[in-house]
Every structure is written in structure tokens, then in C-alpha cells.
């Protein structure tokens, strides 16, 4: 690989941006394609599918052979709320290959005894997220039911273009949430990206079942995400 190409690839990976090294095996093409970049011709749907799949593979296109070396940042889940749903979600997310972090300033809930082996911060989300900023490959799950804790990280997730933003609560609760976010400067278009009620509609009732529904919705959102950053978000 040419040094300039390697340096560009490393820069994208360090910045947690998705990129594909597209190489024609006959030596006629060797370049980087960034997620959201426009590509013309028959390679376009193949490149888009590769970004969403997140795995490298060989492809045959109109008689030519191409290797797509895919570099997508590891997806992560940030959960606001150390509640029973979070206790069920943490081990399932690990099995599915997602890094998961729980943030909750309520020290009675955010304890290592309740979340052994899980990255846990017993602090306010806005303070934690200063050192761990959200990005497009992060899912934000807000489950405290407390606007003082949930609203700021939800707003931050929309601004960062997170691929998933979900919030627990009834339709009435979410309606009040939308009013508060609107007063805080969040546009209706941005707020429409919040998944509420949270999780796929599978009739979930217990904390464990709700966690299953949330994780399934996160996976669906990652694999079917728009490749262009939402308007109004970072990069949009």
C-alpha cells in the first residue's frame, strides 16, 4: 500500500470514521471510499452494502474482480440509566459484539455489584460524555424516566448523528419530551429520529424482554442506517 493511502486510512480509523479500501485485482484501481461518499456505476450498491454489513470480501463486477477491505468503527451502546432493563441489556449486547457503557448519577443504582464486568459511570451524562463523545457509530439508550438525566444526552446524540437514539416512556411521556427538546433548540426533523416507544414492537413486558426488543432495534438501525449523516448533525 502506498504511504499516502496508508496514512489516510489510519487517519480515518483513528477518527472513528468508516472507510473502505477498494482494490481492483488487475491493478487499475486502488483507493479509499468514505461512508456517504457518492460513487457512480455498478460498484455503488456493492460498496453501500459492504458499509452496512461491515465485513471485507471479494466481489465480481462486470467481469472485474475487486477486494473491499472494510473498516467500520466498532459499534457501541451508551445506556443512560442503571435500571433492570440495563442489567438485562448489558450481557446480551456483549454477546452481539457491542461495547456497552452505562451512565447514571444515582449512586444507589449505578453500583459494580449490579453491573459486574460492565463499564459503569456513577456520574451525570454531560460530564462523562465530555471525555467520551458520541458519534455516528454509537447507539444512545435513555431509560431513566427522569428528564433531568435523559434530555441532555438525547440532545447530544441527535447532534452527533448517532445511528440510534431510543428513549423509554409512553407516548404521552414522549410528547412532553419533544416539547422540552423543542424548547432546547432541537428541530422537529432531528427529534423525529428518536425511537419512542423504545424497541421493536414484539409485545415485550418484562425488563428482559424489553432489552431484547431494544437490542433488536439497535441491530436493525445499524444494518439499515443511512450512509449520509442526518441533516443538522455533525457531518450532516
Amino acid at each position: 500500500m502506498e504511504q499516502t493511502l496508508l496514512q489516510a486510512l489510519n487517519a480515518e480509523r483513528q477518527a472513528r470514521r468508516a472507510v473502505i479500501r477498494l482494490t481492483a485485482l488487475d491493478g487499475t484501481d486502488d483507493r479509499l471510499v468514505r461512508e456517504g461518499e457518492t460513487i457512480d456505476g455498478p460498484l455503488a450498491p456493492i460498496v453501500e452494502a459492504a458499509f452496512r454489513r461491515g465485513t471485507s470480501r471479494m466481489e465480481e463486477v462486470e467481469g472485474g474482480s475487486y477486494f473491499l477491505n472494510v473498516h467500520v468503527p466498532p459499534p457501541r451502546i451508551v445506556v443512560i440509566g442503571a435500571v433492570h432493563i440495563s442489567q438485562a441489556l448489558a450481557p446480551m449486547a456483549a454477546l452481539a459484539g457491542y461495547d456497552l457503557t452505562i451512565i447514571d448519577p444515582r449512586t444507589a443504582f449505578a453500583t459494580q455489584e449490579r453491573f459486574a464486568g460492565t463499564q459503569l459511570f456513577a456520574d451525570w451524562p454531560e460530564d462523562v460524555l465530555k471525555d467520551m463523545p458520541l458519534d455516528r457509530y454509537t447507539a444512545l439508550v435513555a431509560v431513566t424516566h427522569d428528564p433531568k438525566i435523559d434530555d441532555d444526552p438525547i440532545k447530544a446524540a441527535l447532534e452527533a448523528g448517532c445511528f440510534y437514539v431510543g428513549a423509554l416512556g409512553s407516548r404521552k411521556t414522549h410528547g412532553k419530551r419533544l416539547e422540552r427538546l423543542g424548547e432546547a433548540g432541537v428541530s422537529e426533523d432531528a427529534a423525529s429520529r428518536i425511537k419512542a416507544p423504545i424497541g421493536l414492537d414484539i409485545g415485550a413486558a418484562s425488563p428482559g424482554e424489553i432489552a431484547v426488543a431494544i437490542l433488536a432495534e439497535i441491530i436493525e438501525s445499524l444494518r439499515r442506517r443511512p450512509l449520509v449523516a442526518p441533516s443538522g448533525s455533525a457531518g450532516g
Side-chain angles (χ1 to χ4, degrees):
M1 184 187 301
E2 292 183 1
Q3 186 173 4
T4 54
L5 199 63
L6 178 61
Q7 290 173 338
L9 174 60
N10 288 337
E12 296 298 317
R13 295 182 64 184
Q14 190 168 11
R16 274 183 60 88
R17 291 191 290 262
V19 64
I20 292 176
R21 183 188 177 192
L22 178 65
T23 305
L25 298 194
D26 63 4
T28 58
D29 196 0
D30 188 12
R31 56 181 156 136
L32 298 184
V33 181
R34 294 161 180 80
E35 184 166 306
E37 186 177 325
T38 300
I39 298 178
D40 297 323
L43 279 170
I46 291 171
V47 169
E48 291 175 3
F51 273 121
R52 292 194 176 94
R53 189 176 57 246
T55 55
S56 303
R57 66 162 58 170
M58 189 81 73
E59 296 282 1
E60 300 290 331
V61 181
E62 295 188 343
S65 298
Y66 296 83
F67 186 71
L68 283 73
N69 195 356
V70 181
H71 301 270
V72 175
R76 62 188 183 190
I77 301 172
V78 173
V79 182
I80 308 301
V83 299
H84 288 116
I85 295 172
S86 313
Q87 286 180 295
L89 181 59
M92 289 192 291
L95 287 172
Y98 291 77
D99 294 330
L100 184 140
T101 299
I102 294 175
I103 306 171
D104 196 327
R106 301 170 299 183
T107 53
F109 297 135
T111 67
Q112 288 297 336
E113 289 75 19
R114 299 181 71 227
F115 293 94
T118 300
Q119 187 178 39
L120 178 68
F121 294 93
D123 206 342
W124 288 92
E126 51 267 43
D127 293 331
V128 176
L129 296 178
K130 287 177 183 175
D131 298 323
M132 191 180 67
L134 304 170
D135 61 30
R136 291 190 61 199
Y137 303 94
T138 303
L140 189 287
V141 177
V143 288
T144 73
H145 273 308
D146 187 338
K148 297 192 302 297
I149 303 174
D150 285 346
D151 283 4
D152 278 346
I154 289 174
K155 183 172 182 286
L158 295 173
E159 292 171 347
C162 289
F163 74 87
Y164 178 87
V165 184
L168 190 66
S170 66
R171 295 187 189 281
K172 182 179 178 181
T173 298
H174 186 55
K176 293 180 179 178
R177 178 185 295 122
L178 293 178
E179 289 179 8
R180 294 192 303 274
L181 291 173
E183 293 169 357
V186 177
S187 69
E188 290 186 12
D189 183 49
S192 68
R193 295 199 297 111
I194 302 171
K195 303 288 189 181
I198 196 170
L200 293 184
D201 184 7
I202 57 173
S206 68
E209 290 176 349
I210 295 171
V212 170
I214 293 172
L215 184 58
E217 193 171 50
I218 288 173
I219 294 170
E220 178 186 55
S221 297
L222 177 68
R223 298 307 177 195
R224 297 177 178 173
R225 70 188 184 279
L227 298 183
V228 177
S231 61
S233 68

